Amino acid sequence: MSLVRAAAEGIRFAVVRTTDGTYRDRTYRSHIDDALSAGLDVAAYHYLRSPSEGTTVAEQVSASVSVMGANVVPIWIDCETPAGLSVADVRAAVSEYRSRGVPVSGVYTYARYWRWRMGNPDSREFGSLWLANYGLDIPGTPAEIYRGDSAGVWSRRVGGQSPVMWQFGSNAQVAGFAVDINAVRG
């Protein structure tokens, strides 16, 4: 996917995956380079797996930091594994990243997961909130499907805070691909 083309279509930022558990995304570095050359703001995310799935939090963070190499950007902790996570797992991931010099932006989750799987802890200790809430999840360009800064999701509180970023779909057409699409209010 060309992030230069995405920028030409009006995209202003990209969040690039480093890892899913200990699986290392081989396109991280090329996507970061592409995003930066396009003038996009960039961040990364790590899909945090439960230690019950076979890897420790420390092993996962180590893999993620290894993928970043010299291309360190702020990281989001993706909290949605069906195996479940504990607050201690998220806390350990945040601590591991910070101890390795990686700034943590916050957690990515959806309201039902955070409330029912995690027990609705205060998410502010982990940083900001990036909330997934697709609604109808219709296809189209980001401009066609974004419900705007006045959408009710922006005032929805999860874990004691409202989101700073909203993933509002997974069928957005960007640079010739159907992708997850996000907005930052404003």
Side-chain angles (χ1 to χ4, degrees):
M1 174 178 194
S2 168
L3 294 175
V4 171
R5 180 174 165 192
E9 292 175 4
I11 299 299
R12 295 186 183 165
F13 66 93
V15 183
V16 180
R17 182 177 72 176
T18 60
T19 36
D20 177 336
T22 56
Y23 170 79
R24 299 164 191 239
D25 195 320
R26 69 184 191 284
T27 63
Y28 172 81
R29 289 184 183 166
S30 63
H31 277 121
I32 291 292
D33 290 344
D34 196 29
L36 293 173
S37 71
L40 298 175
D41 288 333
V42 293
Y45 78 94
H46 165 69
Y47 189 105
L48 182 61
R49 293 286 177 175
S50 170
S52 70
E53 294 176 85
T55 60
T56 67
V57 170
E59 289 169 330
Q60 293 179 58
V61 172
S62 180
S64 177
V65 171
S66 173
V67 167
M68 283 186 177
N71 297 313
V72 173
V73 297
I75 191 110
W76 289 90
I77 311 295
D78 185 338
C79 302
E80 61 178 321
T81 179
L85 291 168
S86 70
V87 173
D89 297 330
V90 180
R91 194 173 286 130
V94 170
S95 177
E96 284 283 334
Y97 276 110
R98 288 180 176 156
S99 73
R100 295 165 187 253
V102 178
V104 176
S105 295
V107 293
Y108 165 92
T109 194
Y110 51 97
R112 184 173 183 85
Y113 188 91
W114 197 259
R115 289 183 178 137
W116 299 107
R117 290 290 202 131
M118 298 291 294
N120 203 30
D122 192 328
S123 61
R124 292 174 291 191
E125 78 170 275
F126 308 119
S128 297
L129 175 67
W130 172 13
L131 189 63
N133 185 319
Y134 295 173
L136 298 176
D137 200 20
I138 57 175
T141 67
E144 292 169 339
I145 59 178
Y146 180 57
R147 289 181 270 162
D149 286 355
S150 62
V153 170
W154 290 114
S155 60
R156 187 170 196 181
R157 296 185 65 78
V158 176
Q161 64 180 321
S162 297
V164 298
M165 190 159 46
W166 170 27
Q167 187 169 90
F168 59 92
S170 65
N171 290 310
Q173 295 299 309
V174 176
F177 290 86
V179 297
D180 292 346
I181 194 68
N182 302 277
V184 174
R185 190 173 188 177

